[in-house]
């Protein structure tokens, strides 16, 4: 019938052509699915990190789509290393997870660029305390001429740094997350060699135990329990508190104490022993 009716055939051909043009236009102008939010990426990194703490290697093939890369760590500390894919200026952070057996704690240094020696100290304590993991920043805290991706990891709750801490705590319900800092300027009114924060995610019992243990281990240096603004606003402490974890230990160490701990193996060994003992503390109580 169409062959006998050229007008109808032309109309159908024209309609089909218009339909193709409209479909092509829509495909070219379709923005696609909305970009992944920081929170959505956080949840995906969190899930992958939980698998990493569980052991095995299946998870490692799924980190590249998250902007991360993984590989086996050095032979003397068998485990995994996870880093961002953008090099030294990637703000995703750097991570080590030790294969089991390991003590139930992780050491973190979110400002290793500005709080001198905290990153080095975190890695030394990771080794000597046989800790399950360690983490430190891979980009500076603030933007520099070299790195345009500066990020303060203690204020960004949706960063992989927070996902790592939460994944560890979810996998080790009685474990502790130790975060190392330099003494903050806002705390200078009360001089101390070491301040232990009692902000979100902290345990009053663990803090008291650590203060007593470190008082002996650090040869009677001045140790205080502090409610500093930095401890109260810490992103990882808040994330852990919402996850119903109470093993967050926020530490501010003086320049002199950090140098002593890095250079004195015996002093650092006693410090590490207190952290291991704290990871075995039960019956925790929140301070906030």
């Amino acid at each position: 019938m169409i062959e006998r009716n050229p007008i109808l055939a032309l109309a159908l051909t024209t309609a089909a052509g218009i339909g193709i043009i409209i479909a092509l236009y829509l495909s070219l102008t379709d923005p696609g699915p909305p970009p992944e939010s920081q929170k959505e990426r956080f949840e995906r990194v969190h899930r992958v990190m939980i698998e990493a703490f569980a052991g095995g290697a299946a998870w490692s093939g799924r980190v590249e789509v998250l902007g991360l890369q993984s590989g086996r760590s050095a032979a003397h500390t068998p485990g995994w290393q996870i880093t961002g894919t953008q090099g030294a200026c990637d703000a995703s952070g750097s991570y080590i997870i030790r294969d089991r057996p390991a003590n139930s704690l992780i050491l973190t240094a979110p400002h290793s660029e500005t709080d001198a020696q905290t990153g080095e100290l975190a890695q030394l304590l990771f080794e000597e305390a046989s800790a399950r993991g360690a983490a430190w920043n891979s980009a500076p805290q603030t933007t520099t001429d070299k790195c345009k991706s500066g990020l303060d990891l203690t204020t960004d709750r949706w960063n992989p740094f927070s996902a790592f801490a939460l994944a560890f705590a979810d996998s080790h319900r009685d474990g502790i997350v130790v975060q190392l800092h330099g003494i903050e300027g806002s705390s200078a009114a009360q001089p101390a060699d070491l301040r232990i924060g009692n902000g979100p995610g902290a345990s009053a019992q663990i803090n008291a135990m650590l203060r007593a243990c470190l008082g002996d281990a650090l040869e009677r240096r001045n140790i205080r329990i502090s409610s500093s603004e930095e401890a109260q606003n810490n992103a990882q402490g808040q994330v852990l508190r919402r996850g119903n974890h109470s093993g967050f230990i926020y530490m501010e160490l003086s320049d002199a104490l950090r140098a002593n701990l890095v250079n004195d193996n015996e002093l650092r060994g006693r410090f590490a022993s207190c952290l291991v003992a704290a990871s075995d503390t039960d019956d925790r109580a929140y301070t906030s």
Side-chain angles (χ1 to χ4, degrees):
M1 179 183 295
I2 294 176
E3 292 179 356
R4 297 177 182 178
N5 192 335
I7 296 176
L8 178 60
L10 178 61
L12 292 174
T13 302
T14 301
I18 293 173
I20 293 172
I21 292 172
I22 292 173
L24 180 60
Y25 172 79
L26 291 175
S27 68
L28 292 175
T29 59
D30 183 7
E36 184 177 47
S37 70
Q38 286 183 311
K39 186 175 181 180
E40 289 169 336
R41 179 175 181 248
F42 171 91
E43 294 296 346
R44 288 208 294 156
V45 174
H46 174 228
R47 289 192 294 270
V48 168
M49 293 283 194
I50 286 178
E51 292 185 49
F53 279 112
W59 61 271
S60 63
R62 297 196 297 278
V63 297
E64 285 195 14
V65 296
L66 300 172
L68 302 169
Q69 57 191 356
S70 65
R72 290 294 288 174
S73 59
H76 66 280
T77 307
W80 291 90
Q81 291 181 310
I82 304 170
T83 62
T85 57
Q86 304 301 313
C89 294
D90 193 310
S92 297
S94 296
Y95 311 90
I96 303 176
I97 298 176
R98 184 193 304 270
D99 290 345
R100 287 189 174 95
N103 287 316
S104 188
L105 71 150
I106 61 173
L107 287 306
T108 69
H111 301 152
S112 61
E113 293 275 339
T114 53
D115 291 352
Q117 297 183 298
T118 52
E120 182 180 0
L121 181 58
Q123 292 176 68
L124 288 170
L125 290 170
F126 164 76
E127 294 286 354
E128 295 169 10
S130 295
R132 190 73 210 281
W136 58 95
N137 61 307
S138 50
Q141 181 179 350
T142 57
T143 300
T144 66
D145 291 339
K146 181 179 179 181
C147 292
K148 305 301 183 183
S149 56
L151 179 67
D152 185 346
L153 297 177
T154 64
T155 62
D156 184 0
R157 70 183 62 175
W158 305 127
N159 190 274
F161 200 83
S162 294
F164 178 77
L166 183 60
F168 165 78
D170 286 343
S171 306
H172 304 73
R173 297 297 300 186
D174 295 325
I176 61 173
V177 176
V178 181
Q179 194 174 98
L180 303 174
H181 295 267
I183 292 284
E184 294 285 350
S186 61
S187 302
Q190 293 182 316
D193 297 297
L194 189 154
R195 298 180 189 279
I196 302 173
N198 65 350
S203 160
Q205 181 176 0
I206 290 179
N207 282 354
M209 175 270 170
L210 265 177
R211 184 180 185 182
C213 183
L214 290 171
D216 293 330
L218 300 181
E219 300 166 341
R220 300 299 175 181
R221 285 175 169 85
N222 186 357
I223 301 173
R224 294 179 180 273
I225 304 296
S226 170
S227 298
S228 69
E229 181 179 349
E230 292 80 13
Q232 294 293 329
N233 295 331
N234 187 276
Q236 286 75 54
Q238 292 175 355
V239 165
L240 293 171
R241 181 65 180 91
R242 283 193 297 274
N244 200 33
H245 298 292
S246 58
F248 182 61
I249 300 173
Y250 179 97
M251 286 188 169
E252 296 179 346
L253 297 85
S254 69
D255 293 347
L257 179 56
R258 297 197 304 272
N260 290 157
L261 286 169
V262 167
N263 296 318
D264 187 332
N265 294 346
E266 184 177 344
L267 184 68
R268 190 172 61 251
R270 295 197 299 269
F271 188 93
S273 294
C274 287
L275 296 180
V276 172
S279 71
D280 292 332
T281 301
D282 297 321
D283 301 323
R284 300 176 184 181
Y286 284 116
T287 62
S288 60

